[in-house]
Amino acid sequence: VWDPLLGIFTGVVAFQLRQNNPETAPPSNERLDYLVRWKYNQWLESRRKQQDASESEFWTALKNEEQNQVS
């Protein structure tokens, strides 16, 4: 039961050391926090576009329904 926990702990410590060591640290635009923010912003933009499209589709359908009822 302790072996997997030791492995996870060792991996997290090694990752932190690599990210913060000036000799091995990746450029600022390749760090994990930057990449996670970038991916999250992409997801937000995609979701916003989907919501805009579904709203537009809803209002178009509603307008068509009203026109059909008037006719």
Side-chain angles (χ1 to χ4, degrees), residues 2-15:
W2 292 107
D3 195 37
L5 295 176
L6 177 63
I8 291 170
F9 175 75
T10 303
V12 168
V13 169
F15 177 78

Side-chain angles (χ1 to χ4, degrees), residues 13-30:
V13 169
F15 177 78
Q16 284 295 338
L17 289 174
R18 182 181 178 280
Q19 291 284 307
N20 296 321
N21 185 346
E23 296 177 5
T24 61
S28 63
N29 65 341
E30 292 179 11

Side-chain angles (χ1 to χ4, degrees), residues 43-62:
W43 176 78
L44 284 178
E45 182 67 23
S46 169
R47 184 170 175 179
R48 186 188 61 78
K49 286 180 182 178
Q50 287 176 346
Q51 286 177 339
D52 289 348
S54 65
E55 279 185 26
S56 174
E57 186 177 303
F58 171 77
W59 290 113
T60 302
L62 188 64

